[in-house]
Amino acid sequence: MAGWFARGRTSLVGRLLGTFIRQSRTVAGILVWIGLAVILAILVMGILAPFIAPFDPNTKVGATELPPGGPFVMGTDRAGQDVLSRIIWGARVPLAIVAVSTTISLAIGLPLGLLSGFAGGRLDRVILLVMDSIYAFPGLLLAIAIAAVIGRGILNISFAIAVVYIPTYFRVIRNHVTSVKQEPYVEAAVALGMSRTRVIGRYVFPNVAQNIPVIFSVNAADAILTEAGLAVLGLGLPPGIPDWGFDISLNWQRFDVSWWATFFPGLFILILTTALTFVGEGLNDILNPLLRKKEQAAVAEA
Amino acid sequence: MSALLEVKHLSVTFETPQGNVHAVQDVDLTIERGSTVGLVGESGCGKSTLGRAILRLHPRNASVQGSIRFAGRDLLALPPREVRDLRGRNLAMIFQDPMTRLDPLMRIRDHFIETIRAHDPTVEKKEALERARKVLADVRVPSDRLGMYPHELSGGMRQRIMIALCLLFKPALLIADEPTTALDVILEAQILELLRSIMKEYNMAVLLITHNLGLVAEFADRVAVMYAGHLAEEGATIPLFREPRHPYTQGLLASVIDLETTQLYSVPGAPPTLLGRSEGCPFYPRCEKRMDVCKTVYPEMRPVGDDRRAVACHLY
């Protein structure tokens, strides 16, 4: 099945995909498939929101706090808005924020990690120190601080979350680079006259790239929780944009009366983060079998 | 015409938390165009460090003193950009462990393309592959190997490919750092035979770094013997092997098994640590012919006899 693929793959993406397809029948592969299916479903839900949502998410469409049933499948909330419609529209927010924030984190963390790891010496120590001080800060607290300073909006929230996760990308890439640059083939490449940029771009980067999808999916789950946390604390998006985290903050104090208005948004946050974690953990197993073995050995020793 | 490579008073010192390690001290070495020089010595005597220093591949914590003149230019004074361009183009190096010298994620063809583009960024893929096929034919590797990944090839095949990568730009000097140590005897003979024919074809000089005396005897025009970072003896291969002068060279040659008696000689003691500077002859503690002067005065390299030999020993 993977034969046609193995023949033509030269690119990095092709290589990663090839590994993935060959592993797709293992437990890890199945986890990834389930996760991807769920994420895709939520994505489609968000994109098709105008067509599938039964009501406008931002207007009072019925009595307040109606239990699930009748025209309101998941009931209505304190403001008399349809919970289901808000959930359908709300799917857009976490996905947009994940996409934007991880792109920013990656765009800054990856090059810094490559540079710092490869250059070593004083430059490495300075960058490490800066990154460590960001990392040492509790993530949510840092995001709160940044969000409070730069204000609301999808881009602003994404940026606040991105800053929190830059050190994760940086660290994993940087540490892997420090070991890859010791590899004999890197010295051989230098001995053949390669420039620094060529060595990093063609020899080092492809050998550390396997980390990216793993950090990406693990961070994505975390980013959604951080976004929801910001929303619950009132630092989320401006009102008018349906958002699962905002819905929780609006309704949780009335949980004993209208549990559905809090429960369903929470459930969807849980489903989406679990799906992302499935993808992350599954990819980690598939793309990093060596790492896995080392971890197991360490556990066995301890 | 001047020599291709002239190393003068070369010292390489590593700064470590335990102190300075003097890996190479005051070494002179000359290689003529198209000739082969064998650099022998036991493990850790600084021979690989010397080879790497010529390509300026030494790590950051190493300081290099002296001069390395290659085709009239002092490599130690050149800006890094020019050294980079010399590497792989005029000066190339192959290593001991061919199994790990090729990027496991890169097809053989991409190794060639990258190497060519490092020096000639405008070369088209097609032309690069054409050039790759030509050098592969020279190292007797079928060109269908270009589509393979390194793990699909044997050690001997990978060493041939490393050599082919070095040959792309017809370098004037190839530094071969124990090129056959990781290979079995049959492959060793094949690789050496290959190197010999390529040297002729490309008019290339080779610095053969090895601890294998048989290899040197068969292959090299001249031999330099290193001990503890210093040169002990240097001369034309056959006279040096017939009549070694330095007690260390004598010991080294005696350590080769004698098939008549099946006795194996070994030089007593162990090589000294290179940490910190020592006085006198570095071989003093192990030498069977030591004198009082050896303990305090370092013997300079001096010409001995009439066969263009130089020896660093107070006996002469």
Side-chain angles (χ1 to χ4, degrees), chain A residues 151-164:
Chain A
R152 298 172 151 198
I154 290 203
L155 265 180
N156 290 1
I157 296 290
S158 301
F159 181 75
I161 293 170
V163 172
V164 175

Side-chain angles (χ1 to χ4, degrees), chain A residues 9-22:
Chain A
R9 79 192 136 86
T10 42
S11 74
L12 183 65
V13 176
R15 179 171 58 78
L16 293 177
L17 262 174
T19 318
F20 175 59
I21 287 174
R22 265 179 277 113

Side-chain angles (χ1 to χ4, degrees), chain B residues 223-244:
Chain B
V223 185
V225 181
M226 265 186 101
Y227 182 78
H230 293 273
L231 228 47
E233 184 163 5
E234 200 267 331
T237 307
I238 293 166
L240 188 141
F241 273 55
R242 285 237 170 89
E243 196 193 348

Side-chain angles (χ1 to χ4, degrees), chain B residues 102-150:
Chain B
L102 295 167
D103 186 338
L105 299 184
M106 220 191 253
R107 284 162 193 266
I108 303 304
R109 48 184 290 169
D110 294 317
H111 283 90
F112 282 97
I113 294 171
E114 289 304 323
T115 308
I116 291 171
R117 288 207 175 146
H119 298 283
D120 264 329
T122 57
V123 174
E124 299 275 328
K125 247 184 201 167
K126 232 179 166 181
E127 200 206 323
L129 288 178
E130 208 42 59
R131 279 156 77 176
R133 281 194 197 95
K134 254 180 222 150
V135 285
L136 278 181
D138 284 343
V139 297
R140 330 265 191 275
V141 171
S143 58
D144 65 327
R145 302 293 191 273
L146 279 173
M148 294 189 174
Y149 283 93

Side-chain angles (χ1 to χ4, degrees), chain B residues 3 5-12 24-30 50 54 64-70 74 76 231:
Chain B
L5 181 82
E6 264 187 297
V7 174
K8 283 252 162 71
H9 306 296
L10 186 76
S11 297
V12 182
V24 176
Q25 289 183 58
D26 200 22
V27 167
D28 289 1
L29 193 70
T30 304
L50 176 59
I54 294 172
V64 182
Q65 258 105 48
S67 81
I68 303 173
R69 292 192 79 78
F70 174 77
D74 188 350
L76 293 180
L231 228 47

Side-chain angles (χ1 to χ4, degrees), chain A residues 203-224:
Chain A
Y203 290 79
V204 177
F205 170 65
N207 278 288
V208 299
Q210 73 210 42
N211 297 306
I212 295 172
V214 180
I215 322 171
F216 174 83
S217 36
V218 172
N219 272 359
D222 237 36
I224 287 172

Side-chain angles (χ1 to χ4, degrees), chain B residues 37-67:
Chain B
V37 173
L39 185 61
V40 294
E42 46 202 311
S43 304
C45 72
K47 50 193 199 304
S48 291
T49 306
L50 176 59
R52 281 191 170 78
I54 294 172
L55 271 165
R56 282 184 51 180
L57 285 177
H58 43 263
R60 201 193 298 257
N61 65 341
S63 78
V64 182
Q65 258 105 48
S67 81

